[in-house]
Amino acid sequence: MSERDWRPRYVQLAEELREKIQRGELPAGEPLPSEPELAEQTGISRTSVRNAIRQLREWGLVRAEQGRGTFVRRPKVRVKRSNVERYQWEKDRVHEPEEVRRQTGGTEHDTGLSVHDLKFHAKYQEMDAPSDLAHIFGVRSGTKLLQRTYWTSAKTEDAPLSMSRSYLVHEVVAKNPDLLSDRNEPWPGGTHHQLSTVGIEIDHITDHVVARPPSPDEADILRTESGDWVLVLRKISTSTEGKVVEVADAVYPADRTELVYNIGLKRWNQA
């Protein structure tokens, strides 16, 4: 740390510790020096040291364990979601043989992991459509919906990579009773294939992305820490008949998720 640096001392210390973590001088899984040790090494107060450690937690670089100390977090599997390409890939898989569709899914596509590297969870339940979802689907409030909650974890990690809630109009998907039970998950080919079994083809998808703190149930499932934020991607799927057939809210820890959009542009007319 430098006396010429205008930044608060705790910020300087946090930056120094971050650089050591990134260089591997403070290895993943190892404890940070204690507050008294850091205070003695740097000549700053324990309050400033405590603030620096809090800053590292907010950056997602360390975690506190009650009664044990503060430890450098292991790098977590990152999710890179290229939605334009991903959605077409999902749709094209509908006509693949089942053995091919079983080999991979959306999470595998986004992480590079294999189906054998993941733990998959699904829970279905019926619900009455609240006014916001009813408006999107173009149905009356209280219309029966099928709510599907998913979360997927890497087997090497405790915290899920993401969670999502998908909503379908119950009357529409009930034409195929197999679509009403979570015992049939993971479904080979995902939602595109499921909807195809009741004669629905998705024409286009609209994404809405926001960043916010997690709700209590999201924090519980994703095991986020205080100060963590999430990215929420609301995906609205519209059929070739112009009807909204699915609304899905995917929730990702913001510190390890990247959304990529590769969008083609129309060319200028050449004279």
Side-chain angles (χ1 to χ4, degrees):
M1 291 181 291
S2 170
E3 293 290 344
R4 298 180 180 179
D5 194 324
W6 57 268
R7 297 173 302 170
R9 302 295 294 277
Y10 82 89
V11 174
Q12 296 181 50
L13 175 58
E15 290 282 6
E16 286 186 9
L17 293 172
R18 174 161 67 176
E19 290 175 4
K20 289 183 178 181
I21 290 171
Q22 292 172 338
R23 291 195 301 264
E25 295 176 22
L26 292 171
E30 293 298 312
L32 286 182
S34 67
E35 288 183 12
E37 290 172 333
L38 286 171
E40 183 176 353
Q41 292 170 11
T42 60
I44 65 176
S45 70
R46 289 186 61 174
T47 298
S48 293
V49 169
R50 197 171 298 119
N51 289 337
I53 294 173
R54 185 182 68 246
Q55 182 67 68
L56 291 177
R57 287 202 305 272
E58 291 177 358
W59 288 337
L61 295 175
V62 300
R63 70 181 192 284
E65 293 189 9
Q66 188 68 33
R68 297 191 62 212
T70 301
F71 293 78
V72 179
R73 294 175 66 170
R74 298 186 184 279
K76 294 184 177 180
V77 175
R78 294 187 62 81
V79 173
K80 183 176 182 179
R81 182 164 170 148
S82 302
N83 283 349
V84 176
E85 180 270 334
R86 183 192 204 261
Y87 293 153
Q88 188 61 55
W89 172 80
E90 288 178 320
K91 181 172 180 176
D92 291 344
R93 295 174 67 226
V94 167
H95 299 297
E96 296 282 359
E98 181 175 336
E99 60 269 21
V100 174
R101 287 184 275 114
R102 284 192 179 278
Q103 291 175 8
T104 188
T107 302
E108 295 92 319
H109 182 274
D110 295 342
T111 61
L113 300 175
S114 76
V115 66
H116 305 293
D117 297 325
L118 298 169
K119 295 180 290 185
F120 185 84
H121 308 271
K123 179 182 178 182
Y124 286 16
Q125 63 187 69
E126 297 175 3
M127 64 174 287
D128 295 332
S131 59
D132 61 330
L133 288 176
H135 177 73
I136 295 172
F137 279 114
V139 299
R140 292 183 178 181
S141 293
T143 297
K144 186 188 295 186
L145 302 181
L146 179 66
Q147 176 184 284
R148 310 179 301 170
T149 303
Y150 302 102
W151 63 100
T152 307
S153 308
K155 291 182 178 178
T156 57
E157 299 179 355
D158 293 331
L161 299 164
S162 64
M163 66 168 291
S164 66
R165 287 193 175 94
S166 163
Y167 305 93
L168 304 166
V169 176
H170 191 279
E171 181 182 14
V172 172
V173 293
K175 297 172 185 176
N176 180 358
D178 288 342
L179 301 183
L180 302 178
S181 174
D182 53 28
R183 292 193 297 271
N184 295 318
E185 294 284 3
W187 186 286
T191 298
H192 277 274
H193 189 272
Q194 289 172 316
L195 292 176
S196 75
T197 69
V198 292
I200 293 174
E201 177 185 356
I202 294 177
D203 177 76
H204 63 272
I205 294 172
T206 304
D207 282 350
H208 301 262
V209 183
V210 298
R212 59 166 172 75
S215 64
D217 61 326
E218 291 165 352
D220 183 56
I221 291 176
L222 295 173
R223 302 185 186 182
T224 57
E225 298 181 6
S226 176
D228 287 350
W229 277 50
V230 293
L231 294 175
V232 183
L233 187 156
R234 167 159 283 189
K235 182 184 72 169
I236 302 175
S237 299
T238 303
S239 74
T240 53
E241 296 180 351
K243 296 181 179 179
V244 171
V245 291
E246 185 201 22
V247 178
D249 294 325
V251 184
Y252 298 91
D255 63 339
R256 53 187 174 125
T257 302
E258 180 180 357
L259 301 179
V260 180
Y261 292 87
N262 180 19
I263 302 171
L265 303 178
K266 293 182 179 179
R267 296 191 178 189
W268 291 324
N269 293 327
Q270 299 297 319

